[in-house]
Amino acid sequence: MRLTPLQQEFVLHFGEMGSRWGINRTVGQIYALLFLSSQPLNAETITEALGVSRSNTSMGLKELQSWNLVRLKHVPGDRRDYFTTPDDLWEIVRTLVAERKKREIDPTLSKLRELEMQGPAGDDYAEARIAELRELIEMMTGFYAEMERLETERLVKLMTLGGKIAGLIDKTGGLIPSLTKRK
């Protein structure tokens, strides 16, 4: 499989960005290649297209599967495993956010709660900062839970209203009248 210049540039960029996102370059490139492919790809095709070792491809695919970012597909008459990404961009974004929360935010929140439960340690400033951080993270995870429940169409509408909502809060002096649910 030969990559077009457009595909090649996108794949290389995702590889570079991968290291900034906490994944290795090859994993980023594999994902980018699968994302751009209109058909599911097998490991041999991925290895050939990216010029990486078969073991790097296998490890990268396993990592992407652990993040729920790629799907295993079977092609009738072919024993090899094929891989693809979801077609829905919002599904991809929701998966990424959920996985990052599970891997990064949840353990931090657990640790902050654990530290607070240990009781006074004689460091009032540190204790206050830990409590403040825990409260902020709890508020953010509560907001995330509310947004996660929204259907994609409503979430998109909410996101496009972002600045208008801030303006409404400013105009009402921070007091937004409660809205009754429509039946």
Side-chain angles (χ1 to χ4, degrees), residues 22 46 124:
I46 295 167
D124 292 344

Side-chain angles (χ1 to χ4, degrees), residues 27-39:
V27 173
Q29 290 178 342
I30 291 169
Y31 187 79
L33 180 65
L34 291 171
F35 179 83
L36 293 180
S37 180
S38 61
Q39 300 296 317

Side-chain angles (χ1 to χ4, degrees), residues 43-160:
E44 291 80 20
T45 303
I46 295 167
T47 298
E48 174 195 318
L50 297 178
V52 297
S53 71
R54 179 66 167 84
S55 63
N56 264 354
T57 299
S58 292
M59 289 187 320
L61 288 168
K62 282 184 173 111
E63 184 168 347
L64 289 167
Q65 285 177 301
S66 77
W67 279 79
N68 296 311
L69 289 172
V70 297
R71 296 202 171 119
L72 182 62
K73 296 277 183 172
H74 291 100
V75 174
D78 193 334
R79 293 180 12 187
R80 296 176 293 185
D81 290 336
Y82 285 76
F83 300 89
T84 188
T85 63
D87 291 328
D88 181 359
L89 290 176
W90 282 99
E91 181 182 345
I92 294 168
V93 169
R94 286 176 185 264
T95 299
L96 275 170
V97 171
E99 288 294 324
R100 293 207 77 120
K101 179 187 173 297
K102 179 175 75 176
R103 295 164 187 254
E104 298 167 23
I105 303 297
D106 292 348
T108 300
L109 190 53
S110 293
K111 182 52 131 178
L112 294 171
R113 289 174 177 151
E114 176 189 317
L115 292 170
E116 282 186 300
M117 291 182 71
Q118 290 176 3
D123 187 346
D124 292 344
Y125 181 78
E127 290 171 24
R129 296 291 284 176
I130 288 170
E132 184 181 18
L133 181 57
R134 178 199 41 80
E135 289 169 6
L136 175 64
I137 293 174
E138 284 176 343
M139 185 177 11
M140 288 173 30
T141 57
F143 180 75
Y144 164 76
E146 293 292 325
M147 296 302 102
E148 185 186 34
R149 283 192 280 272
L150 291 178
E151 309 86 42
T152 299
E153 185 176 301
R154 293 183 78 191
L155 181 59
V156 170
K157 285 181 182 177
L158 180 62
M159 291 177 71
T160 58

